[in-house]
Amino acid sequence: MSQKNCAETVDRVQTGVARGMLVCGVTYLILLWEALTEKGRLNEILDFAAIIGSALTVIVTFVSLWPVIKQKLTGKVLVQNEPESFVSGAMLASFKNGWIALTLTLVVLLGTTKFLDSLALPLKFYFVLLFAVAVLSASISFFWLTRDDDLEGLEE
């Protein structure tokens, strides 16, 4: 494989992982919504949507990681260690942004502890919330950083 194809493979894998993270984050938002609704038809629909979201997360992530999995299983090196691409840099930056969003969310939660205690929500709710914030902020940040904003046209 040529070096360009290797870089494209890495970019596709990382973009696919970000898609999986986005689907996962939306699924966790559905779980939060489900936790806040009373038992009934809407709760059942949200439960089903969460199951579908979980399955989609696994499928999207697996399909995205397949080139790497295949490489590990066959022992063939499809992707050489290469200098960091723009997409790789965006992935690292998006993880940093996700960490910042997670930290800010923790600060807000800690600052509103008395109010949150009065809501009497289970502890699991807050863990799901934190995970949703982490994966959604990282994936949205990735797609924001890699968006096509027509700046290349301005450079010419």
Side-chain angles (χ1 to χ4, degrees):
M1 270 190 179
S2 72
Q3 189 163 351
K4 181 178 180 186
N5 288 338
C6 290
E8 288 173 356
T9 300
V10 171
D11 291 354
R12 276 194 310 272
V13 166
Q14 290 178 332
T15 301
V17 168
R19 284 187 190 116
M21 290 171 55
L22 183 63
V23 173
C24 182
V26 170
T27 301
Y28 272 77
L29 287 181
I30 291 169
L31 289 171
L32 290 172
W33 187 11
E34 180 184 8
L36 296 174
T37 60
E38 294 182 24
K39 297 293 180 201
R41 184 72 180 135
L42 177 58
N43 195 270
E44 291 171 5
I45 291 169
L46 292 172
D47 187 45
F48 182 72
I51 291 168
I52 296 298
S54 297
L56 284 174
T57 299
V58 170
I59 291 167
V60 168
T61 305
F62 181 79
V63 168
S64 301
L65 291 175
W66 178 245
V68 176
I69 294 168
K70 185 177 174 185
Q71 172 183 333
K72 297 290 184 187
L73 292 175
T74 62
K76 294 180 182 175
V77 178
L78 298 176
V79 180
Q80 306 290 333
N81 290 334
E82 297 181 9
E84 189 174 294
S85 71
F86 170 74
V87 173
S88 294
M91 181 62 83
L92 291 174
S94 69
F95 286 146
K96 178 191 76 175
N97 293 338
W99 180 254
I100 292 168
L102 180 62
T103 303
L104 289 175
T105 303
L106 281 168
V107 168
V108 169
L109 290 175
L110 288 171
T112 58
T113 302
K114 285 187 180 187
F115 170 73
L116 295 174
D117 284 344
S118 71
L119 297 176
L121 292 168
L123 188 58
K124 177 183 175 183
F125 179 86
Y126 298 104
F127 284 116
V128 170
L129 172 66
L130 291 172
F131 187 74
V133 166
V135 296
L136 279 173
S137 58
S139 62
I140 291 169
S141 174
F142 175 82
F143 289 116
W144 177 260
L145 293 170
T146 59
R147 74 192 183 284
D148 184 15
D149 58 6
D150 291 331
L151 287 179
E152 292 174 5
L154 295 175
E155 292 174 357
E156 295 176 357

